[in-house]
Amino acid sequence: MLDRISNYSYLDKLSKAIINDYKMVIVKTNKKGFLLSDQYISTASLDCKGKIANYSNRTIGFVNCLIMLPISSKYYVLFYNGRLTLNAFLSEKRIVELSNEDLFLLNKAILRNSYKKCIAMHEQDFNDITSFKSDCDGTTGVLVRYNNGLFSEYALKKEVFLYDADLDIFNKHLQYVSELQQFKKNHLRDISRNDLCLCGSGKKYKKCCIDKYQKSLLIYQRLKLNDSSWMCTPSECVEFPIHSFWGQKEGLSPISKDILTTEEKNSKKQTYEVNYSISP
C-alpha cells in the first residue's frame, strides 16, 4: 500500500482518469452534519457489477462510481461517474445545498467506508445512522485456483453501495437468477411483464421487482467474460486492489494456505462465489 501511495506514475495516471471521466460538484449542509470516515476519502458504487475476483465494485476508475472528499463537516467535494441521484439539483458551476435525505444517503456511505472509527460534529447525526454500519464489514479476500495449477489471491476493499437496491442485488443476484430459471422450467417460457411478480407480493412483475431481476440476469450473463466495460476508459489506470498475487501455491498468504490444507483434508474442492475477473 505504501509503495502505491509513493508511486508518482500510478497516482498521476489515476488522477488523470478521475479528471477525464468523472464530474465534480461541491455539496454542503448548513447544520455541519457530514460524517468523516477513518479512511478520510470515501467511495461508493452507484450500481451493482456483481462479484468480481480482483476488483471492488467501488474501484476508482470504474463507471458508476462516487468519490467523496471531505473539506469540513459542512462541505464535501464529490467526483462521480454515472447515475448520482439526489434530491438536490447537481451543478458543477455552484455549491449545491443538500436536503436532509441527501445528507443521510451520503453519510450512510461514509459510515460504511469506515473500518474502525467514524466521527461526527453532532452526536445526534451519528446516532441516527450507526445502525447501518453492520451491512458491509471487513476487507474481502478472494482465492482463485486455475486449471494449470496456479493460484491468484486478492484483498479488496469492502463493498459499499450508495443505493440499498444495489446492495440487495449484490447479495442476492444468484438467487434472483435461479428464481427466473425455475419459472422458465415450470412454465416452459420466460416470465412476462404481466405475470405475477416472483417475490410473492401479488403485484404484476412490471410494477414490482422487474428491475432487480433484469439487472441480476445481466450480471449473470457476464459470469465468464473477461470484461473491461466497467472501466471508464480501458486504456487508463484504475485503482489497484489492496493486495494481489498470482503464482505457485508456495507464494500464497498463510490464510489461503490454511484454506487449501483444510480442503485437501476434506478431499473436497471449495467453490468460491466469484463471478468474473477483469483484466485492465
Side-chain angles (χ1 to χ4, degrees):
M1 180 64 72
L2 290 176
D3 290 340
R4 291 168 187 169
I5 292 174
S6 60
N7 185 332
Y8 173 78
S9 176
Y10 166 65
L11 294 177
D12 181 58
K13 291 178 181 178
L14 192 60
S15 63
K16 287 179 179 177
I18 296 172
I19 292 170
N20 293 336
D21 299 316
Y22 284 64
K23 296 179 180 179
M24 187 200 82
V25 63
I26 299 175
V27 294
K28 74 171 183 177
T29 168
N30 283 330
K31 65 174 188 175
K32 297 183 178 181
F34 275 118
L35 303 184
L36 177 64
S37 164
D38 58 9
Q39 301 301 295
Y40 186 66
I41 296 176
S42 296
T43 57
S45 179
L46 301 178
D47 75 345
C48 177
K49 304 169 182 67
K51 295 182 179 179
I52 309 170
N54 50 344
Y55 288 104
S56 162
N57 278 246
R58 60 186 177 112
T59 295
I60 297 174
F62 273 16
V63 298
N64 291 307
C65 181
L66 171 66
I67 306 168
M68 295 170 278
L69 178 65
I71 299 175
S72 69
S73 60
K74 187 175 180 179
Y75 293 95
Y76 257 72
V77 179
L78 307 183
F79 296 92
Y80 65 98
N81 176 291
R83 57 179 186 96
L84 179 57
T85 305
L86 300 175
N87 292 322
F89 175 75
L90 298 181
S91 171
E92 297 184 57
K93 297 182 179 179
R94 63 184 178 87
I95 297 175
V96 177
E97 185 172 341
L98 299 178
S99 66
N100 289 335
E101 292 79 8
D102 293 337
L103 177 63
F104 186 83
L105 183 67
L106 294 177
N107 271 343
K108 191 161 58 171
I110 294 168
L111 178 68
R112 287 170 170 170
N113 270 260
S114 305
Y115 282 85
K116 293 186 178 296
K117 295 181 179 181
C118 188
I119 60 174
M121 180 68 72
H122 306 292
E123 183 177 358
Q124 187 59 47
D125 292 326
F126 191 75
N127 291 339
D128 289 344
I129 206 168
T130 49
S131 61
F132 293 94
K133 177 67 171 70
S134 60
D135 288 24
C136 306
D137 282 337
T139 301
T140 302
V142 179
L143 174 62
V144 182
R145 181 205 303 268
Y146 298 95
N147 291 332
N148 62 5
L150 297 178
F151 296 85
S152 61
E153 176 185 65
Y154 304 96
L156 310 177
K157 299 188 301 184
K158 60 183 177 179
E159 298 289 0
V160 178
F161 298 91
L162 187 65
Y163 309 114
D164 289 338
D166 292 321
L167 175 61
D168 174 70
I169 292 173
F170 179 79
N171 289 326
K172 299 180 180 179
H173 62 275
L174 292 179
Q175 171 190 325
Y176 296 148
V177 170
S178 177
E179 290 172 5
L180 288 172
Q181 293 172 335
Q182 189 62 46
F183 180 94
K184 186 173 183 177
K185 181 179 179 180
N186 294 341
H187 297 84
L188 302 179
R189 63 176 177 84
D190 292 326
I191 189 171
S192 72
R193 293 170 57 83
N194 289 318
D195 283 319
L196 293 179
C197 188
L198 299 176
C199 73
S201 66
K203 298 179 181 178
K204 287 186 176 181
Y205 181 54
K206 65 183 179 182
K207 294 186 177 180
C208 195
C209 298
I210 186 171
D211 288 342
K212 73 178 183 183
Y213 279 100
Q214 288 184 341
K215 178 71 173 179
S216 297
L217 187 60
L218 177 62
I219 292 170
Y220 181 74
Q221 290 168 347
R222 296 176 182 266
L223 282 177
K224 295 184 178 180
L225 296 178
N226 191 355
D227 194 348
S228 61
S229 64
W230 297 128
M231 300 179 183
C232 295
T233 306
S235 60
E236 290 183 348
C237 179
V238 298
E239 182 183 12
F240 291 160
I242 297 171
H243 162 77
S244 62
F245 167 80
W246 183 88
Q248 300 288 341
K249 176 181 177 180
E250 291 71 22
L252 293 171
S253 68
I255 294 177
S256 293
K257 289 179 180 178
D258 288 344
I259 291 173
L260 294 174
T261 299
T262 301
E263 178 185 281
E264 291 168 358
K265 287 181 179 179
N266 295 334
S267 300
K268 180 180 179 182
K269 288 188 176 181
Q270 178 68 41
T271 299
Y272 300 98
E273 187 184 329
V274 176
N275 289 357
Y276 49 84
S277 61
I278 294 177
S279 296

